[in-house]
Amino acid sequence: MSAEWKTQAPQSWKLTLPCTKAEAERLAGEVPEIEILDNPPVLMTSEPDPDRPDDWQLDAYFEGEPEADALALVRSLVPSAAAIAAAPEPVEDQDWVTLSQAFLEPIRAGRFYVHTAAHAGTAPDGAVTFHIEAGRAFGTGHHETTTGCLEMLDRMAGEGLRFDRVIDVGTGTGLLAFAARALWPDARYAASDIDPISIDVTAENMAANAIPADAMLLVTAPGLDDPALQAAAPYDLVIANILAGPLIDLAPDLAGALAPGGSIVLAGLLDTQAEAVTAAYVAQGLTPVDRNTRGDWPTLRLRK
């Protein structure tokens, strides 16, 4: 899942709101809800006073003075602060995306261990390790959607499933494609994203993780709308961690590119959206076979 982040802005603004620990934990990684905004804010959560462990703080950083709809959306993320009359203020210009994520704690999901440079050398024995630096694209592994996909892929490998042609649609940082390649190293891989920045980031992350540049076809495209991606079909594994609306819209294309007997892993949807997303793929002849849920975020697996 990707977002078009601008890392330098003429003026940054900050909105500070109190929040509960539970709200802060939900917002600690990427938050797909804010991607509906043209310029999503960067969210930072902190515990101002360790002696008050349930009283946390949300700082939302905006590129330029935020519009009312953006402020309302951020406020909706912390219902406990509904009565707080805080206003945004201008702040010193910084790269808030990288700053907010640079010291994210490592993630363990199944056999996978995902870390930034701040935690290099901390991987447990036997883990499949990826260095995914914080920055310009969605998918460091810290949101439940990405972690849920990692766990689903790990479970599929544990069941003995094998794949020969794999595509990661909406690849973001490339992490899910990298994880699949670690599980099924002999398969052919493609990764696409509508955001060209994400494709650049994926290429950078391939180098950072010693993945050969020719190990994966990287394409900037919405869904599968590219001749190279279509020529590489059919795929026997499709991974799509995007949002519910695009997943539904892409159902005919993704299902059509899936080989008979192939599997598709879908994420980026809320639990309340799972029925509609599943129905869109069932209408294309797919059958639900597995599901895991982290918080409000399910990961679905269907088979053709």
Side-chain angles (χ1 to χ4, degrees), residues 17-31 43-48 53-59 77-80 104 142-144:
L17 294 168
C19 64
T20 66
K21 180 180 179 181
E23 290 168 338
E25 288 176 344
R26 181 177 177 274
L27 301 175
E30 294 102 339
V31 184
L43 307 180
M44 298 176 65
T45 56
S46 59
E47 184 183 16
D54 194 51
D55 294 338
W56 283 59
Q57 178 175 301
L58 168 65
D59 293 306
L77 300 174
V78 285
S80 65
L104 289 174
H142 287 79
H143 194 270
E144 285 90 341

Side-chain angles (χ1 to χ4, degrees), residues 250-266:
L250 288 171
D253 291 343
L254 298 186
L258 190 62
S263 295
I264 188 166
V265 174
L266 305 175

Side-chain angles (χ1 to χ4, degrees), residues 1-5 29-43 69-70 73-74 77 101 136-140 143 145-146 170-173 193-195 198 241-244 246 267-268 297:
M1 188 184 294
S2 65
E4 293 187 19
W5 298 100
E30 294 102 339
V31 184
E33 299 103 301
I34 65 175
E35 290 194 19
I36 65 172
L37 299 173
D38 290 336
N39 290 297
V42 173
L43 307 180
D69 60 340
L73 191 153
V74 170
L77 300 174
Q101 298 185 26
R136 299 171 292 164
F138 185 97
T140 61
H143 194 270
T145 58
T146 310
T171 195
T173 61
D193 203 290
I194 195 171
D195 181 5
S198 290
N241 178 19
I242 41 181
L243 294 170
W297 305 92

Side-chain angles (χ1 to χ4, degrees), residues 153 172 203:
L153 294 173

Side-chain angles (χ1 to χ4, degrees), residues 141-254:
H142 287 79
H143 194 270
E144 285 90 341
T145 58
T146 310
T147 307
C149 286
L150 291 172
E151 292 176 339
M152 181 66 76
L153 294 173
D154 182 67
R155 188 153 76 200
M156 293 164 70
E159 294 173 2
L161 297 178
R162 299 184 62 84
F163 301 102
D164 297 318
R165 298 176 304 280
V166 180
I167 185 168
D168 179 15
V169 178
T171 195
T173 61
L175 174 58
L176 297 180
F178 302 167
R181 182 175 177 272
L183 297 171
W184 301 287
D186 296 328
R188 290 180 293 172
Y189 287 88
S192 70
D193 203 290
I194 195 171
D195 181 5
I197 291 176
S198 290
I199 296 302
D200 291 342
V201 168
T202 297
E204 293 167 5
N205 286 336
M206 289 176 68
N209 288 276
I211 298 174
D214 61 356
M216 199 169 296
L217 173 65
L218 302 181
V219 177
T220 301
L224 299 175
D225 189 15
D226 182 89
L229 298 177
Q230 294 163 10
Y235 303 95
D236 50 8
L237 174 59
V238 174
I239 306 163
N241 178 19
I242 41 181
L243 294 170
L247 286 176
I248 292 172
D249 293 340
L250 288 171
D253 291 343
L254 298 186

